[in-house]
Amino acid sequence: MKHPRDILLGSQAASSVLPVCDHYSGVEVRMRKSLQLQAEMTQEFGACVFDVTLDCEDGAPVGGEIEHAHLVKEIAANAAPEARVAVRVHPVDHPSFESDITLIVGSAQHKLRHVMIPKVETVADVEAAAKALNQVGASSLPLHVLIESPAAVHRAFEIAAHPRVQSLSFGLMDFVSAHGGAIPSSGMGVLGQFTHPLVVRAKLEIASACHAHGKVPSHCVVTEFSDLEAIKVAATKASRELGYTRMWSIHPAQIRPVLEALAPSDHEIEQAADLISAARNANWAPVSHGGQLHDRASYRFFWQVLERAHQTGRHLPESVELYFGETSCAA
């Protein structure tokens, strides 16, 4: 039996399916606890619902970059085989970039799912990062890039088109700061980042660039981590209004609100399962369902609803559950 993903997505099948939450931590105890929490929530939800990205850029103390890189290497190399662990290294023009790649990627690439490159400005930065990974034997390891300036936003489509790039993230704080005061500080807050025209425009450009090239758009952090309702509202806006399918977390308390906001509703899941079952029974030919005509264009949409439901650990009806594998972070 052919899989719906192969039938419906076509060339889009190459696009990545990633957990909807990317959790960042750079302090030793938090990095270790994050991986423990990932394993616990995988058992709870039946799917790996967030990545753990070990942070060198903001996690390493100034002057202690080498020691921090060794710590990250040790944590990544000793992660469980089924863990989804990644690393954010320093920017390509930072003195510690090469040592990050050599120490961490060179030693722990078999455990890493991707490498996050911050402050990417041009395709040349992506090429430099890819070359560095290739030199340590990690030629197939995907790159995630952080878009943090007006110039980088301008080049988002070119950057997203690079074959090594799997995901683009928006760096809100640096983006606002790059405007030299032209955007008020409120543009970095949970409300202002969804109302200031320049910030909203940047988010839309990044999301559009990702969707144009089959890459994953990842929304920025919400710094008000103690306001869980605000986090849920922000994640909902990012997903439902701006087209983001993934979001950062910087505190464990943010993970569940992000999952809840990016997950389809029970009604959406039931509707999608019914449509996919009807399509399968018709050998994927057009069908009349609920008084509406559906064909592969709408089947594709409803299949993607089911994929997102699985990514967020939602219960799937038996009629479609067979399409999703066993509980694992490896998928």
Side-chain angles (χ1 to χ4, degrees), residues 1-11 13 276-277 279-281 283-284 296 303 319-320 322-324:
M1 180 176 63
K2 291 199 71 173
H3 199 282
R5 184 170 177 82
D6 298 326
I7 294 169
L8 299 176
L9 298 191
S11 62
I276 292 301
S277 296
R280 180 185 60 210
N281 292 337
N283 291 321
W284 309 102
R296 291 195 187 188
W303 170 251
S319 61
V320 294
L322 73 161
Y323 296 125
F324 298 91

Side-chain angles (χ1 to χ4, degrees), residues 20 25 35 51 89-90 205 208 213-214 230 248 279-280 297 321:
V20 301
S25 55
L35 286 168
D51 282 342
V89 297
H90 286 85
E205 285 291 305
S208 183
H213 294 288
W248 285 33
R280 180 185 60 210
E321 196 175 20

Side-chain angles (χ1 to χ4, degrees), residues 93-113:
D93 60 354
H94 191 281
S96 295
F97 171 75
E98 290 188 7
S99 58
D100 284 349
I101 298 297
T102 301
L103 287 172
I104 302 169
V105 182
S107 301
Q109 60 184 270
H110 61 293
K111 290 294 182 68
L112 298 176
R113 299 310 180 105

